[in-house]
Amino acid sequence: MRTINRIIVHHTASPDSWTLENIDQSHRDRGYSGVGYHFVVESSGLIRLGRPVVAVGAHAKGANRDSIGVCLVGAFHTKDAAVPSTQWAAAVSLVRDLMRQWSLTVDQVVGHCETKATLCPGFDPADFRAALENVPIG
């Protein structure tokens, strides 16, 4: 089993109608072996398993070896874009569960923009961490 030291949160910067299958094809078209994220949260809030967690992801160059990639479908980097509340709640719940499973703290959850210069995940990672702190540990 590989060591997990962080969770990296992304967005697809795509239409919110995209699904795991669209992402998988997009990544294959770019030369990857398939979807690079471990989990995809579709705009409806449906959580889909992408790459198995035991496998190194292909979601944040230079930061894949010790991380889990969680991606929200949609483009949240524009001024008027916001993550739908159902999708946000699903992503927070998923990441909270992953934190518990891997004994991670809120500080070990980062946005892709905190690993390299990018607009991803399109929202402030500090807002996501604040939401995680407000979810009770089950």
Side-chain angles (χ1 to χ4, degrees):
M1 187 59 82
R2 59 190 194 105
T3 300
I4 302 298
N5 292 317
R6 58 189 159 171
I7 298 167
I8 302 176
V9 181
H10 303 265
H11 74 147
T12 56
S14 70
D16 62 5
S17 59
W18 270 32
T19 63
L20 173 71
E21 290 78 15
N22 296 111
I23 298 164
D24 183 64
Q25 187 60 56
S26 173
H27 284 191
R28 287 178 190 280
D29 291 347
R30 292 168 42 198
Y32 300 143
S33 62
V35 64
Y37 308 111
H38 296 98
F39 295 92
V40 172
V41 183
E42 294 180 356
S43 60
S44 67
L46 178 65
I47 298 168
R48 308 269 312 269
L49 178 62
R51 190 171 288 208
V53 174
V54 296
V56 174
H59 56 90
K61 188 174 182 178
N64 290 315
R65 188 157 303 284
D66 70 341
S67 66
I68 295 173
V70 173
C71 186
L72 285 73
V73 172
F76 308 117
H77 59 286
T78 61
K79 181 179 178 185
D80 297 325
V83 180
S85 59
T86 302
Q87 185 181 28
W88 183 265
V92 168
S93 178
L94 167 64
V95 170
R96 198 69 175 136
D97 286 345
L98 292 169
M99 289 169 56
R100 187 173 27 258
Q101 180 179 349
W102 294 94
S103 300
L104 301 175
T105 67
V106 170
D107 293 335
Q108 291 171 287
V109 177
V110 299
H112 188 194
C113 61
E114 294 172 305
T115 68
K116 73 174 262 181
T118 178
L119 295 176
C120 183
F123 51 81
D124 188 341
D127 292 342
F128 193 79
R129 285 188 290 272
L132 290 170
E133 290 177 335
N134 292 322
V135 175
I137 296 175

